[in-house]
Amino acid sequence: MKNLLAALAITGMTLVSASAMAGEDFAKYDGDGNGTISMSEAKVNPSLVEQFTQLDSNADGELSESEFANFKG
């Protein structure tokens, strides 16, 4: 039981840390601060441009923070 709780705590901290890092990256790409990443903003990272269409799950031409969370850069 003690090991299970330790494993869950470590997993939770890892997820929070990854989420915080993704949020920092999102803000870096969201140049105009409107809460989305446009294709023109994404062009600073070739990997993001390559994945943009796949990440844009609602096909609105912009990445929300939740869509960007799936970016593997």
Side-chain angles (χ1 to χ4, degrees):
M1 181 68 158
K2 198 177 210 181
N3 289 339
L4 176 62
L5 291 175
L8 289 173
I10 290 169
T11 301
M13 287 187 294
T14 301
L15 291 174
V16 168
S17 176
S19 175
M21 286 174 41
E24 288 175 24
D25 285 343
F26 182 85
K28 178 176 77 174
Y29 293 116
D30 182 17
D32 61 7
N34 71 342
T36 61
I37 299 171
S38 66
M39 178 59 91
S40 63
E41 291 170 321
K43 288 183 179 179
V44 298
N45 184 326
S47 294
L48 183 55
V49 171
E50 187 177 299
Q51 296 175 44
F52 194 93
T53 303
Q54 293 170 309
L55 295 169
D56 185 14
S57 60
N58 64 355
D60 67 353
E62 299 179 319
L63 299 180
S64 65
E65 196 162 355
S66 63
E67 290 171 326
F68 178 78
N70 296 312
F71 172 53
K72 293 173 181 53

